[in-house]
Amino acid sequence: MPATTAENQTTPARHPQRWLILGVICLAQITVLLDNTILSVAIPSLTRELGASTSDIQWMVNAYSLVQSGLLLTAGNAADRYGRKKLLIAGLALFGIGSLAAGLSQSSAQLIAARAGMGVGGALLITTTLAVVVQIFDDTERVKAIGLWSTVNSLGFAAGPLLGGVMLEHFWWGAIFLINIPVAVLGLVAVVALVPESRTKEGDRPDLLGALLSTIGMTAVVYAIISGPDHGWASGQVLLAAAVGVVVLGAFVLWELRVPYPMLDMRFFRNQRFIGAVGGAVLVAFGMTGSLFLLTQHLQFVLGYGPLDAGLRTAPLALTVIVLNLLGVAARLLPRIGTPGLIATGMSLVAAGLASIALLGAHGYGGMLLGLVVMGAGVALSMPAMANAIMSAIPPEKAGVGAGINGTLAEFGNGLGVAVLGAALNARFAALVPAAVGAASLPAALAAADGAAERLRISDAFARGLETSQLVGAVAVLAGGLLAALLLRRAERTERGGDGRTDAPSGAPSGAPPEAA
């Protein structure tokens, strides 16, 4: 069957309703992002009303992220092959059905299964939303569009706990899931009416074994990262999951190098622009998520704020990202300083924000507020530029795979940030607390402390541990930002010199914007 014009299109052009479509896409995206964090505030209610154990709670939280991260590459490839609009509709439908099942669950097992189903819908939505953005915006507007798409990410991340808290004050715990249903229905109607269909050319065979290997491998690695802090990095459970993930992903790479129609063309990893953007994306997620994970503990355990007050005091980071992206600051700076300069500037600001929190925020909120705002500015500059660099290094007809890579990197960065910075905090804390108290956790150490003076020393030790971990994050983000900028600069010089060829796969834009393909 001959391909349609939309299917043969490899050079994205401006769609006349592109900004309205972007609004629809952001509506679909925010439901997925809210459910990454909204469940945390419902844990006491779930424990009380469903009789959920600690293990049950962990699986309620992790089932969603595990299924979602494991399916991102497969979902992106399916969207490219079968149609991005079709998969966007399927994702909204699955997410809505999963939300209904979650809200009406009568047991922990039912809720865990429903959350896994929501993860399938979430994987489809994350990949198709960014892929559609690439298809409907040309190079002159794409950075601004991706910036607005990133704004929704920050808004969803920050608003989840706050929205959950408001809902739980007036309704039962199931309402935090049922609120997704009208949003999903509205999104379905809007997608059907407005979003154009696009897919890759006919002829590629589905890479079923590649899809299976990537799903198993990604799920195992992400599970090891998520469960490491709770079970111990040397535990058999974590080591087995990590080993399975590494072996299966190794098999996935070997298979993709041999199969004639690979799900993920490994030649992308020869492209210095792609590698630089990949490394930067992981480290921005690493610094932001790891920092917020530690900050919520600092605000509650050291500075004495309640959960809602602590959540409100982390909001300046997300608000800064939202304001700067709505103003289009990154899109305006990009023509002046280029992608490498924008990423280096942004990640330097993220590192400076982490350092400010470490050095100025140990005993009060003022220094922490400064650090959050500086971090937000850095994220607003660097994240849209890196997402655009990743998508520009991949042929437009593989936009779904590119979006899957971008989402997978965010999951890895989030997990590594919590794991590595948390490990740095625990190591410093264990070295400083009195040996007789023990250092399993700050609440346990405080409960076992003998007198106010000892509790003060323990709190001070925790604050010092936070300082160390934030500085570790700052160094990692700064080094990663400079390396990413260097690789991107070298890629640009390669494109300008000689015959202009790079190591990009055949049909790719050779690190240039997709319009050059």
Side-chain angles (χ1 to χ4, degrees):
M1 180 184 298
T4 66
T5 302
E7 291 163 351
N8 282 324
Q9 181 179 344
T10 58
T11 302
R14 293 185 181 184
H15 190 280
Q17 294 178 303
R18 58 195 178 279
W19 295 108
L20 182 58
I21 293 171
L22 179 62
V24 173
I25 285 170
C26 290
L27 181 67
Q29 179 83 351
I30 197 167
T31 58
V32 180
L33 298 165
L34 286 172
D35 275 82
N36 278 317
T37 55
I38 199 170
L39 188 64
S40 60
V41 298
I43 288 174
S45 298
L46 293 169
T47 302
R48 182 175 60 254
E49 297 182 28
L50 288 184
S53 65
T54 301
S55 176
D56 292 336
I57 294 295
Q58 289 176 336
W59 277 108
M60 289 174 191
V61 174
N62 293 338
Y64 181 74
S65 56
L66 280 174
V67 172
Q68 181 175 283
S69 58
L71 288 175
L72 283 170
L73 278 179
T74 300
N77 180 260
D80 288 335
R81 177 174 174 77
Y82 299 110
R84 300 174 184 99
K85 178 176 180 176
K86 290 185 182 69
L87 272 293
L88 182 53
I89 292 171
L92 282 166
L94 286 172
F95 195 82
I97 293 169
S99 297
L100 177 62
L104 300 179
S105 295
Q106 300 297 311
S107 68
S108 296
Q110 290 177 7
L111 182 54
I112 292 169
R115 291 276 291 172
M118 292 170 66
V120 177
L124 292 172
L125 290 174
I126 287 176
T127 51
T128 50
T129 52
L130 183 55
V132 170
V133 169
V134 172
Q135 296 297 316
I136 63 175
F137 287 93
D138 65 13
D139 190 52
T140 61
E141 294 181 328
R142 190 177 301 115
V143 174
K144 183 178 180 180
I146 291 177
L148 294 173
W149 180 85
S150 298
T151 298
V152 173
N153 291 354
S154 301
L155 180 61
F157 185 84
L162 297 178
L163 178 61
V166 171
M167 295 295 294
L168 288 172
E169 283 189 6
H170 299 90
F171 306 100
W172 94 112
W173 63 266
I176 65 174
F177 300 112
L178 297 181
I179 195 175
N180 294 330
I181 297 173
V183 178
V185 171
L186 180 61
L188 276 170
V189 174
V191 167
V192 171
L194 296 172
V195 175
E197 182 61 283
S198 62
R199 58 180 177 179
T200 191
K201 62 184 180 181
E202 296 288 343
D204 286 0
R205 301 173 187 170
D207 183 10
L208 299 179
L209 181 58
L212 178 64
L213 292 173
S214 72
T215 301
I216 294 173
M218 293 291 183
T219 302
V221 170
V222 172
Y223 175 76
I225 293 172
I226 290 174
S227 60
D230 292 327
H231 299 288
W233 293 103
S235 68
Q237 181 177 342
V238 173
L239 292 177
L240 177 62
V244 169
V246 170
V247 170
V248 173
L249 287 178
F252 170 72
V253 171
L254 293 176
W255 173 255
E256 295 300 287
L257 289 171
R258 295 180 57 186
V259 68
Y261 299 105
M263 185 175 77
L264 175 61
D265 195 329
M266 291 299 159
R267 289 175 295 173
F268 290 139
F269 292 92
R270 300 179 195 168
N271 188 327
Q272 291 182 355
R273 176 186 290 263
F274 180 77
I275 293 296
V278 161
V282 170
L283 286 169
V284 165
F286 173 97
M288 186 171 72
T289 306
S291 172
L292 287 177
F293 168 74
L294 300 175
L295 280 177
T296 53
Q297 298 183 61
H298 190 151
L299 287 164
Q300 294 181 67
F301 295 145
V302 178
L303 300 183
Y305 292 106
L308 182 58
D309 288 335
L312 288 172
R313 281 166 174 78
T314 61
L317 188 152
L319 291 175
T320 303
V321 176
I322 291 167
V323 170
L324 293 182
N325 279 336
L326 288 175
L327 293 175
V329 174
R332 294 178 184 178
L333 288 176
L334 184 62
R336 301 179 183 178
I337 63 177
T339 300
L342 193 59
I343 289 176
T345 302
M347 294 190 70
S348 296
L349 287 173
V350 174
L354 286 166
S356 174
I357 291 169
L359 301 176
L360 304 177
H363 302 291
Y365 182 67
M368 190 178 295
L369 174 61
L370 173 64
L372 288 169
V373 172
V374 173
M375 277 184 67
V379 171
L381 295 181
S382 57
M383 284 191 74
M386 284 184 294
N388 186 60
I390 291 173
M391 300 304 289
S392 297
I394 291 178
E397 63 269 20
K398 296 293 184 182
V401 170
I405 293 171
N406 188 69
T408 301
L409 295 175
E411 291 289 342
F412 277 139
N414 293 342
L416 285 173
V418 172
V420 174
L421 298 189
L425 165 64
N426 291 335
R428 179 67 170 162
F429 180 54
L432 292 174
V433 296
V437 173
S441 67
L442 177 64
L446 289 173
D450 184 16
E454 190 168 279
R455 284 193 291 272
L456 181 61
R457 286 196 299 271
I458 292 170
S459 295
D460 184 65
F462 188 80
R464 292 187 184 184
L466 281 166
E467 177 182 328
T468 299
S469 61
Q470 302 284 18
L471 290 175
V472 168
V475 171
V477 170
L478 180 61
L482 295 177
L483 177 61
L486 176 63
L487 290 173
L488 289 166
R489 182 70 69 192
R490 288 180 59 184
E492 289 184 354
R493 289 175 180 171
T494 301
E495 292 161 15
R496 289 195 299 265
D499 58 7
R501 290 183 300 174
T502 68
D503 295 324
S506 176
S510 300
E515 286 71 23

